[in-house]
Amino acid sequence: MLNAVLFLLVLFLSLLVFFIPRSLRYYFTLALLVCGAILTSAWSVSVLTGGEQLLEIPLFVPASGSSLTLVIDSLSAFFIIVINITVLTGLLYARGYLAPYYRRKSPLRFSIHYFSYLWLWLSMLMVVMIRDGLSFLIVWEIMALSSFFLVIFDAEERSILKTGISYLIQMHVGMFFILIAFLIVGKATGRMSFDVLGEYFSTHRNLPLFLLFFTGFALKAGFIPLHTWLPEAHPAAPSHVSGVMSGVMIKMGIYGIVRVLIDMQSDLLVTGVIILVISLISGVMGVMMAIMQNDLKRLLAYSTIENIGIIGAGTGLGVIGMALGNPALTLLGFSGGLMHILNHSLFKSLLFFNAGSVCQASHTPNIEHLGGLMKRMPYTAILFLIGSLAICGLPPFNGFISEYLIYMGMFHSLSGSTLFHSVLILGSIVGLSLIGGLAIFCFTRAFGIVFLGEPRTDRAIHVTEVSRGMIIPQLLAVAFILVIGLASPLAVRPVFAITVQTFGINNPIMVSGAFLTNLAQISIMGGVFVVTLVVLLVYRHYHLRRRVVERAPTWGCGYTAGTARHQYTGTSFAYNYNHVAKPVLQTRKVMDEISEDEIFPRKRSFVSYSDDFFKKILIDMPVDWFSGLLKRIAVMQTGQIQHYILYAFVFMLLVLLLAILNII
Amino acid sequence: MAGFVLIVIAAFFFPGIILRTKSIASGRKGPGILQPVKDIIVLLKKGSVFSTTTGLIFQIAPAVTLVSVICAMLLLPFAEQRALLSFEGDFVLFAYLLALGKFFTVIAALDTGSSFEGMGASREAFFSLLVEPAFFILLATFAMFTGYTSFSVIFNQFFITGNDYVMIYSIIGVYLFIQIAMVENSRVPIDDPKTHLELTMIHEVMILDYSGFDKALIHIGTYLKFALYGSLIYNLIVPAGWNIFLQTGLFLAVQAFFAVVIGLAESFRARNKMNKNPKFILTLSAIAWIAFTVILILTDKLV
């Protein structure tokens, strides 16, 4: 009872944001968020530590008798913790990030922003806690709306408003699919709820309903080809919002998919294969497109698609494991996926915050205009480097742990029963290793071009480090990244427990025990790595002190008048890659060639585009076709009343005729 | 532990043997076998020049790369001894550790702001991403062949699984590891470290600005990496159960042979045209697929 009252109190207190004095508004939001986070985290801790397997909190009981209940099982508990960590760091970071806007924007805008932020957080919490279908759809809608308001914070720019509206439309398309799925369940069982899914699945075909749910949730998660909103909305939103959206909001889609999967009883193998294939395509294509991006935040958005692919690959493997009755594969697949959800929420939000810091300091997200920022923004650079290493899945950081679990799932199921199975798994191994290599390419490029070398334009010269208030919250994420990377059993043990509990794995200790030992070995290796590195660097330090150390310009092969513009750019770094990937990526160049008779070439420009292939085919082409059709129909719209009366007359005649012929 | 020490010993002679082979093949007298080691000692004694453009990354990168190679060495077994660290899926860690070293080499090259080094960085990052699948397909084949997923156990079981077709894997495995080692170490036919023009290099152009201590670290890392792959090759040729003293001798012989092969290849083979490299590297994955197809046939899944 107390729990429910406290939660409702948080819900209603959020309204006060509009009435609090301007100077206290941020602190009020923060205080409310911290209280709510403590409250909900306490619930999940009590569920995870095994006090109660299932925590039910009835919020209120309306007259009709169907109560609105928050249900927290271990899966919800996991998501609650992920949400709380990222949303909290996001708000802490927002204080510094929003500071330049204080003078420019009206207080009301800030109230709306904070209110939407709080409600994005609350709606995400409720999404993972509510089982009733209708209430779920309502909070799902609140989540879309609040994130929409957050995205259009900079709505003075027309393009941002347009992006926001396109985002809102796509979210509703997704919601439409979920609504239909729930209606089908409701019609068959008499109740619209996640709780009756098992009942539905036991008597009906599983795949069609799953595909409906999957389409709806995948739109939120950003699986290719349903990802088109993602690379538009993330760059448009303020950075702390992008961090939260990319870090946790899109994972609500994964939550939905997993929640449906729990109850599935047949068609599991084909479901798993579908998820795995779509995920691998998302992973590889996502990072392939990320490499071509010059806008730092757009690059991160595409890399989000890649990571959703990795998470999905783990989930797909888990489902295949369920289908084959292979407990090790189920455990590794789902745990790898869940682990990657946590890991990705940490390093992706970190990277988005840093991208925000870079944009705020240099006023441009275009990496071709930057360079040499490490000297000017050392802390941001190091944080970005840690994020990059983690996202590439390199040891001893946290990304490696989840990728390792997924790899192990794959290698364990390699010698499966059928040819198709073995080839599929080998294909996934190839896919995952390619994703790894491509991610390294993508992030060496991103980090190297933005932070290293010399500044390419004036914008990158006059840059100073962002305020301490923006750096410190990110250390929280870094701490988690390092702890998970260096002491992985600490984090993986509870995740194993969650998977075991959620998917009912037989013989859990025997299966999971072996992998915890493996992870302990990885931790030892991490320790060895760090200690050796530190020893070597310390020795190097003292060694160099006893030698002559000089500073000189970079060696220029005899040419010493080079300028910063001679450096490799992001585009040239990706040139050879682009050459090979062109058939897939559809990059275009626009330039006018120098003709033969042009002895003194005039000034000219060169632009290269990398279009999103899927967006072109799935969104742009149908929309163009449809608007072309409508334009042709618009010939009838003459503006003369006589014509319209004629139309009405023809219509009535038609109806009369059809009625006489007994057709209608 | 023996494996670790042996790799270090092999690394001492490895580059010297390559040099010797090349000089004999081209009819020169050439330097002694320990010349590269002496070069390193000279480098260690020298001071350093750092570019004014560079910063922290440039300073720590060689150390990170070297340490990542040393850590990868801990994962390789020798004879019947297990590796110092051995667990299921350790080859994933092996691959990612080497990738970590590469990550730092690449960003260190970008740190100098030189267009030469940017070019090298771009090529290195691109080629090493292409070679990744070949390594994983090969290891997946071994994992399926032996039923284990750890270097130590795979190599232990390699020759005692009672499979008559083990030769196929030995040959394909050795061939692929040699080629992968060429890509990872940037040697002919992917890259020629002795080319006289920066525009045509990959790895050497990335370390143009290094001098003294850091350059020594980079060289040590490269030599160890050679011996690292030599050790992988050795494990595919010699059954783990043989006498340990015989094994020690054979180990050094295989490493020397590997070095001679590299030396001969560099003497008689031209470097690929740079834009042919992706095709060349992807062919390795295709060959690895063949090995995988063979195992599918052997396990009665195909045909």
Side-chain angles (χ1 to χ4, degrees):
Chain A
M1 192 60 207
L2 181 66
N3 280 334
V5 172
L6 286 174
F7 192 72
L8 287 174
L9 201 62
V10 172
L11 292 189
F12 287 113
L13 279 178
S14 66
L15 280 171
L16 278 184
V17 170
F18 290 102
F19 308 105
I20 292 276
R22 200 173 163 182
S23 52
L24 293 176
R25 214 165 274 162
Y26 173 80
Y27 295 102
F28 173 76
T29 315
L30 185 63
L32 199 60
L33 191 93
V34 169
C35 295
I38 291 174
L39 176 69
T40 47
S41 302
W43 295 347
S44 32
V45 167
S46 82
V47 170
L48 287 181
T49 50
E52 302 130 279
Q53 297 247 316
L54 207 66
L55 192 65
E56 293 198 4
I57 300 160
L59 275 190
F60 62 98
V61 186
S64 66
S66 68
S67 65
L68 178 61
T69 312
L70 301 179
V71 186
I72 304 164
D73 61 359
S74 50
L75 187 68
S76 315
F78 172 78
F79 276 94
I80 289 172
I81 288 180
V82 174
I83 292 169
N84 282 339
I85 293 173
T86 309
V87 173
L88 189 62
T89 46
L91 189 64
L92 288 170
Y93 172 81
R95 182 171 159 68
Y97 183 77
L98 289 175
Y101 292 94
Y102 280 125
R103 266 171 284 122
R104 275 194 276 146
K105 301 221 181 248
S106 67
L108 182 63
R109 290 288 280 283
F110 272 92
S111 305
I112 295 176
H113 186 75
Y114 289 140
F115 184 72
S116 313
Y117 193 83
L118 279 175
W119 270 89
L120 175 63
W121 165 64
L122 290 168
S123 59
M124 287 192 295
L125 286 178
M126 286 192 280
V127 160
V128 298
M129 292 192 286
I130 285 179
R131 296 290 180 85
D132 175 56
L134 191 60
S135 322
F136 178 84
L137 284 169
I138 292 171
V139 288
W140 189 260
E141 173 66 17
I142 294 175
M143 185 167 79
L145 277 178
S146 53
S147 53
F148 165 72
F149 282 113
L150 291 171
V151 168
I152 59 163
F153 181 65
D154 256 337
E156 284 85 5
E157 278 183 51
R158 260 191 90 75
S159 64
I160 288 186
L161 190 61
K162 206 177 150 211
T163 305
I165 288 170
S166 131
Y167 165 69
L168 199 62
I169 292 171
Q170 298 201 36
M171 284 304 100
H172 281 92
V173 174
M175 181 160 150
F176 178 70
F177 279 98
I178 303 172
L179 176 67
I180 292 180
F182 268 123
L183 285 177
I184 291 173
V185 176
K187 192 155 186 302
T189 62
R191 259 179 80 202
M192 273 171 59
S193 164
F194 280 122
D195 294 329
V196 293
L197 278 182
E199 196 184 314
Y200 176 89
F201 280 137
S202 60
T203 49
H204 295 74
R205 273 206 69 191
N206 287 2
L207 192 61
L209 185 75
F210 172 77
L211 285 181
L212 276 177
F213 270 121
F214 182 73
T215 315
F217 287 128
L219 240 164
K220 182 65 98 181
F223 282 105
I224 283 178
L226 305 170
H227 68 285
T228 44
W229 64 272
L230 221 148
E232 305 297 326
H234 281 3
S239 289
H240 58 287
V241 176
S242 328
V244 170
M245 281 173 69
S246 172
V248 286
M249 197 194 74
I250 58 162
K251 267 71 161 225
M252 296 301 110
I254 302 283
Y255 166 80
I257 293 170
V258 174
R259 179 60 76 200
V260 176
L261 282 173
I262 294 174
D263 292 318
M264 280 187 70
Q265 283 151 19
S266 61
D267 293 335
L268 279 172
L269 188 61
V270 59
T271 308
V273 172
I274 289 174
I275 299 178
L276 186 61
V277 171
I278 289 183
S279 303
L280 286 170
I281 293 174
S282 304
V284 176
M285 289 299 297
V287 66
M288 279 180 83
M289 291 192 271
I291 293 176
M292 295 312 298
Q293 304 308 318
N294 286 338
D295 179 326
L296 190 56
K297 285 175 81 178
R298 189 182 282 261
L299 181 150
L300 292 176
Y302 274 110
S303 135
T304 300
I305 299 171
E306 169 222 332
N307 281 281
I308 280 293
I310 297 176
I311 296 167
T315 314
L317 282 177
V319 181
I320 293 177
M322 276 161 76
L324 299 176
N326 180 345
L329 182 56
T330 314
L331 180 80
L332 289 170
F334 283 121
S335 308
L338 287 181
M339 230 14 238
H340 205 71
I341 288 174
L342 171 63
N343 289 339
H344 181 245
S345 76
L346 294 169
F347 49 64
K348 186 47 71 63
S349 56
L350 178 68
L351 286 169
F352 263 116
F353 298 159
N354 284 314
S357 304
V358 169
C359 293
Q360 195 193 66
S362 67
H363 304 288
T364 175
N366 189 340
I367 64 172
E368 307 285 38
H369 294 166
L370 299 169
L373 290 193
M374 187 151 186
K375 289 218 183 65
R376 294 163 182 81
M377 309 173 75
Y379 299 110
T380 304
I382 289 171
L383 291 170
F384 194 94
L385 178 65
I386 293 174
S388 306
L389 290 168
I391 204 169
C392 292
L394 294 171
F397 296 93
N398 63 349
F400 178 73
I401 304 301
S402 37
E403 289 196 23
Y404 168 78
L405 288 175
I406 296 173
Y407 266 121
M408 283 326 291
M410 291 176 179
F411 280 110
H412 257 265
S413 58
L414 192 58
S415 43
S417 46
T418 62
L419 171 70
F420 172 70
H421 186 99
S422 294
V423 172
L424 178 77
I425 297 293
L426 186 73
S428 335
I429 292 175
V430 172
L432 199 55
S433 65
L434 255 184
I435 292 173
L438 287 162
I440 290 176
F441 192 94
C442 178
F443 280 92
T444 46
R445 174 178 178 265
F447 179 76
I449 302 297
V450 173
F451 290 100
L452 303 176
E454 295 283 356
R456 289 182 177 76
T457 58
D458 287 346
R459 284 185 173 174
I461 295 175
H462 308 292
V463 160
T464 46
E465 181 62 280
V466 292
S467 65
R468 210 173 297 163
M470 288 164 78
I471 300 287
I472 291 170
Q474 302 182 34
L475 294 179
L476 187 66
V478 171
F480 278 110
I481 286 175
L482 290 178
V483 167
I484 297 176
L486 288 168
S488 48
L490 280 183
V492 176
R493 192 187 300 272
V495 171
F496 273 166
I498 292 166
T499 314
V500 167
Q501 211 178 353
T502 312
F503 294 96
I505 293 166
N506 305 324
N507 236 338
I509 313 268
M510 211 186 79
V511 181
S512 64
F515 289 102
L516 288 175
T517 339
N518 296 341
L519 289 169
Q521 302 255 26
I522 292 178
S523 302
I524 294 174
M525 180 63 97
V528 171
F529 180 86
V530 172
V531 171
T532 323
L533 183 61
V534 169
V535 169
L536 187 58
L537 285 176
V538 170
Y539 176 74
R540 178 183 179 276
H541 180 76
Y542 286 104
H543 183 91
L544 285 186
R545 280 209 344 206
R546 283 181 275 116
R547 302 287 187 284
V548 186
V549 175
E550 288 170 56
R551 307 288 292 188
T554 297
W555 192 71
C557 195
Y559 182 69
T560 49
T563 69
R565 294 195 53 166
H566 289 171
Q567 289 176 98
Y568 245 47
T569 59
T571 310
S572 46
F573 190 82
Y575 176 78
N576 52 9
Y577 159 80
N578 183 19
H579 194 72
V580 173
K582 210 180 206 163
V584 190
L585 292 178
Q586 311 271 326
T587 44
R588 289 184 292 129
K589 292 176 194 164
V590 179
M591 57 172 173
D592 38 351
E593 305 258 345
I594 301 175
S595 57
E596 271 180 43
D597 52 345
E598 208 178 332
I599 299 163
F600 300 106
R602 57 201 154 71
K603 202 172 180 181
R604 53 186 79 223
S605 63
F606 168 88
V607 194
S608 68
Y609 300 92
S610 69
D611 297 332
D612 192 325
F613 177 67
F614 297 95
K615 188 181 172 220
K616 215 156 124 190
I617 288 189
L618 283 165
I619 308 271
D620 293 349
M621 270 166 59
V623 167
D624 286 349
W625 178 81
F626 198 66
S627 59
L629 184 77
L630 289 181
K631 244 177 224 153
R632 251 173 284 153
I633 294 175
V635 175
M636 295 173 71
Q637 189 189 10
T638 53
Q640 294 186 18
I641 193 121
Q642 292 93 329
H643 287 166
Y644 294 146
I645 293 174
L646 182 68
Y647 298 152
F649 184 67
V650 169
F651 177 72
M652 280 193 291
L653 213 63
L654 200 71
V655 170
L656 189 68
L657 210 66
L658 292 175
I660 289 171
L661 296 173
N662 266 338
I663 294 174
I664 52 170
Chain B
M1 194 65 207
F4 189 85
V5 175
L6 277 172
I7 291 178
V8 175
I9 295 174
F12 260 96
F13 301 101
F14 207 102
I17 296 177
I18 297 180
L19 271 183
R20 262 326 272 167
T21 316
K22 281 170 84 170
S23 48
I24 293 172
S26 59
R28 288 180 286 124
K29 194 165 166 235
I33 283 194
L34 283 178
Q35 189 57 44
V37 181
K38 288 178 190 158
D39 288 347
I40 286 180
I41 295 169
V42 172
L43 280 175
L44 286 176
K45 284 181 187 154
K46 283 189 173 178
S48 292
V49 184
F50 291 111
S51 157
T52 41
T53 308
T54 60
L56 179 72
I57 298 293
F58 190 79
Q59 309 257 344
I60 62 168
V64 175
T65 311
L66 178 62
V67 171
S68 71
V69 175
I70 292 175
C71 285
M73 280 160 60
L74 298 176
L75 294 168
L76 288 187
F78 174 69
E80 275 186 316
Q81 293 183 356
R82 287 188 144 226
L84 288 174
L85 273 175
S86 150
F87 52 92
E88 282 180 79
D90 50 7
F91 53 77
V92 179
L93 183 59
F94 178 86
Y96 275 71
L97 271 171
L98 293 182
L100 174 70
K102 209 160 289 168
F103 189 103
F104 271 89
T105 320
V106 169
I107 58 175
L110 289 172
D111 200 11
T112 60
S114 144
S115 42
F116 290 126
E117 296 184 41
M119 190 170 58
S122 156
R123 287 170 179 168
E124 173 96 345
F126 184 49
F127 295 150
S128 47
L129 95 82
L130 291 176
V131 80
E132 208 93 321
F135 181 82
F136 274 95
I137 298 174
L138 190 62
L139 263 303
T141 312
F142 291 159
M144 211 165 151
F145 178 64
T146 57
Y148 295 95
T149 54
S150 154
F151 271 139
S152 298
V153 196
I154 286 178
F155 292 140
N156 236 322
Q157 298 288 319
F158 200 72
F159 287 93
I160 52 172
T161 41
N163 197 320
D164 301 335
Y165 300 92
V166 67
M167 279 305 285
I168 300 177
Y169 298 107
S170 270
I171 293 169
I172 295 183
V174 168
Y175 176 77
L176 282 180
F177 274 139
I178 291 180
Q179 300 297 345
I180 292 172
M182 297 299 102
V183 181
E184 297 272 326
N185 281 316
S186 304
R187 306 295 287 220
V188 174
I190 305 301
D191 180 21
D192 187 356
K194 291 284 178 252
T195 171
H196 62 282
L197 207 62
E198 288 86 343
L199 287 171
T200 56
M201 298 190 218
I202 302 176
H203 186 260
E204 294 305 305
V205 76
M206 291 170 67
I207 56 171
L208 276 179
D209 262 87
Y210 277 111
S211 53
F213 187 78
D214 288 333
K215 189 154 196 207
L217 292 190
I218 291 172
H219 283 320
I220 297 172
T222 317
Y223 301 159
L224 285 175
K225 223 163 150 185
F226 266 128
L228 192 72
Y229 279 98
S231 167
L232 276 178
I233 291 166
Y234 169 78
N235 278 308
L236 289 181
I237 301 177
V238 180
W242 288 7
N243 179 300
I244 187 90
F245 296 106
L246 179 65
Q247 293 243 32
T248 312
L250 278 176
F251 182 88
L252 296 175
V254 168
Q255 293 274 11
F257 178 73
F258 179 35
V260 171
V261 168
I262 295 173
L264 288 176
E266 300 208 334
S267 306
F268 294 105
R269 190 170 177 181
R271 185 177 62 74
N272 289 343
K273 255 176 89 179
M274 203 56 87
N275 57 3
K276 295 275 185 248
N277 270 340
K279 232 178 256 176
F280 180 83
I281 301 172
L282 286 175
T283 314
L284 299 181
S285 300
I287 295 172
W289 266 106
I290 293 176
F292 190 76
T293 316
V294 172
I295 193 124
L296 287 179
I297 296 171
L298 288 182
T299 48
D300 293 330
K301 284 188 183 154
L302 194 69
V303 185

